[in-house]
């Protein structure tokens, strides 16, 4: 289910690599990464200065309400439910192995 849900993310993000032709930064290896640090991506000031380290909980929280968590982020996303967020995070963790 997480893989299917994450396909929506792949409209803007690379899920398994660092492609330069995406709208958003790569999500490959996101767990444990500091926000705003994918080389070559032009982050919003809000994201660059957020101080977030992407734990599974932080990613889930963010994809449920990006603007609520980081006002000023460029991330445009229809809200996902807590269960959907959990499944997406589980899938993202599985691709990092």
């Amino acid at each position: 289910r997480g893989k299917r849900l994450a396909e929506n993310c792949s409209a803007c993000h690379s899920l398994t690599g660092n492609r330069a032709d995406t709208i958003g930064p790569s999500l490959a290896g996101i767990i444990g990464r500091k926000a705003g640090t994918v080389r070559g991506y032009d982050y919003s000031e809000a994201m660059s200065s957020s101080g977030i380290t992407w734990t599974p909980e932080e990613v889930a929280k963010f994809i449920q309400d990006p603007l609520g968590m980081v006002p000023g982020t460029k991330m445009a996303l229809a809200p996902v439910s807590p269960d959907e967020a959990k499944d997406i995070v589980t899938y993202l963790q599985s691709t990092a192995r």
Side-chain angles (χ1 to χ4, degrees), residues 8-85:
N8 293 325
C9 306
S10 69
C12 297
H13 299 274
S14 172
L15 301 177
T16 58
N18 195 11
R19 293 188 355 241
D21 64 339
T22 56
I23 295 169
S26 174
L27 299 180
I30 190 170
I31 305 301
R33 184 169 70 209
K34 288 193 67 65
T37 61
V38 171
R39 186 173 288 204
Y41 183 74
D42 184 27
Y43 288 92
S44 66
E45 178 63 30
M47 185 60 73
S48 294
S49 64
S50 69
I52 297 168
T53 296
W54 294 117
T55 63
E57 296 78 18
E58 292 294 303
V59 172
K61 181 178 167 184
F62 182 71
I63 64 177
Q64 289 175 73
D65 186 11
L67 288 172
M69 185 169 167
V70 183
T73 184
K74 293 189 213 178
M75 176 80 159
L77 172 71
V80 299
S81 73
D83 286 340
E84 290 171 328

Side-chain angles (χ1 to χ4, degrees), residues 1-9 27 59 63 80-81 83-94:
R1 180 173 178 229
K3 182 178 181 179
R4 181 179 53 78
L5 291 167
E7 288 175 6
N8 293 325
C9 306
L27 299 180
V59 172
I63 64 177
V80 299
S81 73
D83 286 340
E84 290 171 328
K86 180 180 174 190
D87 290 343
I88 292 167
V89 169
T90 298
Y91 174 71
L92 292 174
Q93 287 177 293
S94 77

